[in-house]
Structure formats: C-alpha cells, structure tokens
Amino acid sequence: MGLQVIPLKLAIFGPPGSGKGTYSSRLERELNVEHISTGKLLRESIERKDETGKRVKGYLESGELVPDSIVNNMVKRKLKEIDMDGFILDGYPRTVDQAEFLLDLVDLDAVVFLKIHEEIIVKKLLGRRVCEKCGKNYNISDIHKEKDGVGYELPPLTPDKDMECDSCGGDVIERHDDTERTIRKRIQDYNERKKPLKDFFDNRTETVEVWSDSIPSVVTEKIVEKLRKFH
Ligand code: AMP
C-alpha cells in the first residue's frame, strides 16, 4: 500500500504521547521519506560533545526549548545533507519563528496534526514502559473508551516475558519523567504552543488532522490515506 510516487515534504505535530515518533518511523518506510527528529539530533550532538551539544545540554536537561537559531541552523544543515527529496519533520517546528524559517527554506506539502484527549494521554503515558538497555517502548495501559464520538482502542503492548525486553532481554522500566505532574505540564506547554502554530499553518500550507485513537498500524494507515491527495 506504499506511496512511492512523489516524495512528500511533511511535518508532524501533536501532544506528548500522541505517537509522533512511532508514526514518523512508520511513515518513513511507507512513504519513502527521511524521518528527521530534532530531539534525536540534539541528543546525538550532546553525546558527541560537539559545539551545538555543549550549548543545548542545559535546555534538554530542564525540558526548556532550545533557542530557535540553534535548531533552525541544525535543521537547515540536515535538509541539505539528506539524499532524499522527501522528509517528515518530527518535533520541529515548535514555534512560529521556526515555522517561518522552515517555509522560507522549503515548500511543505502538508502538516499532520495528531489529536488525542488529555485524559487518554495521561493514562497512556502513565502506562508507558521502556527498556533501559535498548530504549524499546512498551505500554501496560489498556484503553477502550468512547469520548466525544471518538472510539479509543489502545490495547496494552507488553513484553512476552514479565518486564524483560523482547529485543534485548533488558529490564523494562518506568521513565522517571512520566509522572502525572510532569505529563500535565508537558500537555499544558503543548496547548499553549499549538494554537499559533495551527493558525500559521492553516494560512500557509495544507494541514490534515488525524485522531490518534488506535494501534500504530491503523493510525498510520489513516494518515497515509489523508495524504494521498497530495501525491
Ligand atoms: P523531543 O525528543 O522532541 O521531545 O525533544 C526533546 C527536547 O529537545 C525538548 O524538550 C527540547 O529541549 C529540545 N527540542 C527538540 N526539538 C526542538 C525544537 N524544535 N525547538 C526547540 N527545542 C527543541
């Protein structure tokens, strides 16, 4: 069912826990585009201890946004570097300044906005578990709920053996930043950023909205379906 016609230039936007990273990885394969996560690029810089890494370390540790100029330059460099015509930006742009910079640089085909109710995010993130060795994600929450006409079907995704990673055998644990207080703070930060960005993109490019209400394969399929008209 892959779409290989014209590589799309995309950005994906959504609250914490909406599955941006998961869907971006799947869309990378489905649509033959490069997945570019600014969070990942920044973490790699910090690990390499390069100039950017040294400047951004404190921001990532405190959960603050890195200054626009640093992220913008990093994305500009990355877009020049990739050997694919299509890409999906995950975690960027996060501010209107970044969005303006991006649209001066490239013509985006569409921005995907993921939607999910706050109480579902909280439940989902409280159930998140991660392998401490390889980082693989699991989830122990089991959500079947109808809310405002949206039918959530999010079954648990647990390792075969009790809290032992299927891929590497590492211990599957809770993330220390997944407490209810930090989750609500991250949602609030997102809500404040969302409106100006959504308004900006609604005026400047195509946007599609998709409910993150099911397992990754189903939601990815819905996104691909909505993007079909841009090929
Ligand atoms: P993420 O993996 O997308 O949750 O990003 C992790 C951290 O990287 C964020 O909390 C920010 O400190 C930083 N970061 C990632 N993307 C951006 C961006 N577009 N603008 C500013 N800071 C960012």
Side-chain angles (χ1 to χ4, degrees):
M1 176 248 3
L3 296 174
Q4 271 98 22
V5 198
I6 307 166
L8 290 174
K9 296 179 171 65
L10 305 167
I12 191 162
F13 198 73
S18 58
K20 288 184 300 285
T22 306
Y23 307 140
S24 300
S25 306
R26 284 178 173 251
L27 290 167
E28 177 171 51
R29 298 192 295 270
E30 265 319 302
L31 302 176
N32 197 22
V33 294
E34 177 136 346
H35 174 195
I36 302 173
S37 151
T38 44
K40 183 161 174 255
L41 290 176
L42 291 165
R43 283 188 290 275
E44 285 169 358
S45 253
I46 293 172
E47 244 161 62
R48 278 199 307 273
K49 298 191 169 69
D50 64 17
E51 269 317 301
T52 306
K54 285 181 204 154
R55 290 171 67 193
V56 303
K57 193 164 183 271
Y59 294 99
L60 271 88
E61 279 169 0
S62 63
E64 298 287 311
L65 287 190
V66 169
D68 289 339
S69 59
I70 299 180
V71 193
N72 285 342
N73 281 326
M74 196 180 72
V75 169
K76 187 175 176 180
R77 242 180 291 130
K78 184 71 187 174
L79 289 176
K80 274 202 190 129
E81 216 177 86
I82 60 172
D83 53 7
M84 287 191 187
D85 295 329
F87 54 81
I88 181 156
L89 288 162
D90 159 19
Y92 180 92
R94 266 180 161 93
T95 65
V96 173
D97 277 355
Q98 292 179 11
E100 277 172 347
F101 180 87
L102 177 65
L103 291 196
D104 282 344
L105 211 60
V106 289
D107 285 325
L108 277 191
D109 292 298
V111 181
V112 179
F113 280 85
L114 296 171
K115 295 194 292 182
I116 178 167
H117 287 95
E118 177 161 342
E119 67 185 78
I120 307 287
I121 301 176
V122 174
K123 206 165 173 198
K124 206 175 145 190
L125 289 185
L126 285 176
R128 179 155 72 175
R129 298 293 181 269
V130 56
C131 170
E132 67 177 348
K133 220 161 128 196
C134 74
K136 188 172 164 132
N137 272 303
Y138 297 91
N139 207 301
I140 60 164
S141 58
D142 189 7
I143 305 169
H144 305 271
K145 189 176 166 69
E146 164 111 13
K147 168 109 184 142
D148 303 331
V150 184
Y152 286 97
E153 284 299 329
L154 299 164
L157 179 64
T158 48
D160 290 339
K161 272 201 217 150
D162 193 31
M163 292 300 122
E164 191 181 305
C165 179
D166 295 339
S167 299
C168 75
D171 284 340
V172 173
I173 55 160
E174 263 176 76
R175 263 176 54 161
H176 73 278
D177 56 342
D178 280 345
T179 63
E180 180 151 357
R181 197 169 62 84
T182 57
I183 292 168
R184 294 217 185 259
K185 166 84 175 80
R186 272 144 65 200
I187 297 171
Q188 190 194 333
D189 289 349
Y190 170 81
N191 287 337
E192 280 164 19
R193 284 199 316 266
K194 182 192 162 175
K195 174 140 177 39
L197 269 176
K198 179 83 172 47
D199 289 347
F200 175 85
F201 281 122
D202 278 340
N203 285 323
R204 296 282 302 270
T205 184
E206 301 284 349
T207 57
V208 297
E209 289 194 289
V210 179
W211 281 103
S212 186
D213 57 359
S214 190
I215 55 173
S217 58
V218 172
V219 177
T220 306
E221 177 75 17
K222 285 199 296 185
I223 299 173
V224 169
E225 212 32 63
K226 290 212 172 178
L227 291 175
R228 212 171 273 283
K229 63 178 175 208
F230 301 116
H231 278 278

